[in-house]
Amino acid sequence: MPTYFFWSIVFIAATCAFDLILDGGRLNPKYGTVGFWIRVIFLGDASTHLWFLPCLLYAQVVMKVVEWVAARTECGPYRVGVPCLGLGLGLCAISCWLGNWFGTYPLRLFAFLATGYGLGRMEVKLPRAWSGGLTVARLVAYVSLDGVVPAFVRGWFVTVPLLGFFAALEGNGFGHREHKEHREGWGWRDWGMAEVLGATSMGVYLVHPLVTRALSVVWARVFGAPYGAMAV
């Protein structure tokens, strides 16, 4: 959350700079409204993509409550994991049905978080051949059912065996560290590439709008709209 608040300030400052220097020389009137600043603090409106961080926090709080209730009632892993998988699928379907901002963003995020929580709770580790084959089959179904089943529901069906496939890659030597202490748990977390992605993904996620916005300014000075294939 400190990262979230820091980058909210960065994006507000950058947007103001673009407004004053490049977009007409005056600030957007929304900066003078209370509602905008409330959305900045609680919904990530400082930038078009910062919604992800506060919504992830809210979803984690809900899942922590689920975890606490499960621990108090001494539910077994499958008595918690299977309902979480069902919750994930149900929320995906509801999000497609709603079609508004809440359904498209926070609800789908919550759906996939609940799915991952369910799989982790059950410690699902299918044989590689099974999980790999099931992933390929569901990818084929994902393409085949385009226009029949909503994209995020199809994505959910692919996600479940895909996570199982990565879990099944434990200790196969593919970019895996050789230290014994790193062979515990889900081995894909210890891949060299996974380590790099884990360390840099948030930075790329937060910096890329500034880069693309700056490039859009330069691009508009060099090329004229509509842009051709070479520009794209």
Side-chain angles (χ1 to χ4, degrees):
M1 296 316 292
T3 301
Y4 166 67
F5 285 115
F6 171 78
W7 278 94
S8 294
I9 295 172
V10 168
F11 279 114
I12 289 173
T15 303
C16 290
F18 277 112
D19 286 348
L20 294 174
I21 299 172
L22 299 170
D23 294 338
R26 63 178 184 177
L27 292 175
N28 192 309
K30 68 181 181 181
Y31 291 109
T33 64
V34 176
F36 169 74
W37 293 105
I38 292 176
R39 293 193 301 273
V40 165
I41 296 172
F42 296 106
L43 292 177
D45 267 20
S47 180
T48 56
H49 70 311
L50 282 181
W51 66 270
F52 181 85
L53 297 177
C55 291
L56 181 61
L57 171 67
Y58 305 145
Q60 287 176 330
V61 170
V62 173
M63 295 312 298
K64 274 295 182 183
V65 173
V66 172
E67 188 175 34
W68 180 81
V69 172
R72 298 275 291 185
T73 56
E74 298 183 353
C75 288
Y78 283 89
R79 290 184 62 187
V80 178
V82 172
C84 284
L85 289 178
L87 176 64
L89 176 59
L91 290 176
C92 266
I94 293 172
S95 72
C96 296
W97 173 71
L98 285 178
N100 55 19
W101 180 88
F102 179 75
T104 301
Y105 295 99
L107 203 59
R108 289 179 183 177
L109 171 65
F110 188 20
F112 281 93
L113 182 69
T115 300
Y117 179 86
L119 291 173
R121 187 82 178 188
M122 293 188 296
E123 297 182 355
V124 174
K125 295 183 73 171
L126 297 173
R128 296 175 196 173
W130 276 95
S131 56
L134 191 58
T135 300
V136 172
R138 291 196 176 183
L139 284 171
V140 172
Y142 182 94
V143 176
S144 303
L145 295 175
D146 185 21
V148 180
V149 179
F152 270 85
V153 176
R154 289 181 285 128
W156 186 92
F157 278 106
V158 175
T159 298
V160 174
L162 186 64
L163 286 175
F165 175 69
F166 275 100
L169 291 174
E170 171 69 26
N172 69 346
F174 184 71
H176 196 283
R177 291 179 177 177
E178 294 300 323
H179 303 297
K180 292 182 179 179
E181 61 270 20
H182 292 292
R183 294 189 179 274
E184 301 293 333
W186 287 20
W188 61 271
R189 291 180 178 176
D190 300 321
W191 291 1
M193 181 57 69
E195 183 178 6
V196 171
L197 292 174
T200 59
S201 61
M202 182 63 74
V204 173
Y205 181 75
L206 293 171
V207 170
H208 86 270
L210 294 176
V211 176
T212 53
R213 181 68 180 93
L215 284 176
S216 72
V217 174
V218 174
W219 220 249
R221 300 291 191 273
V222 177
F223 299 98
Y227 303 112
M230 289 302 297
V232 175

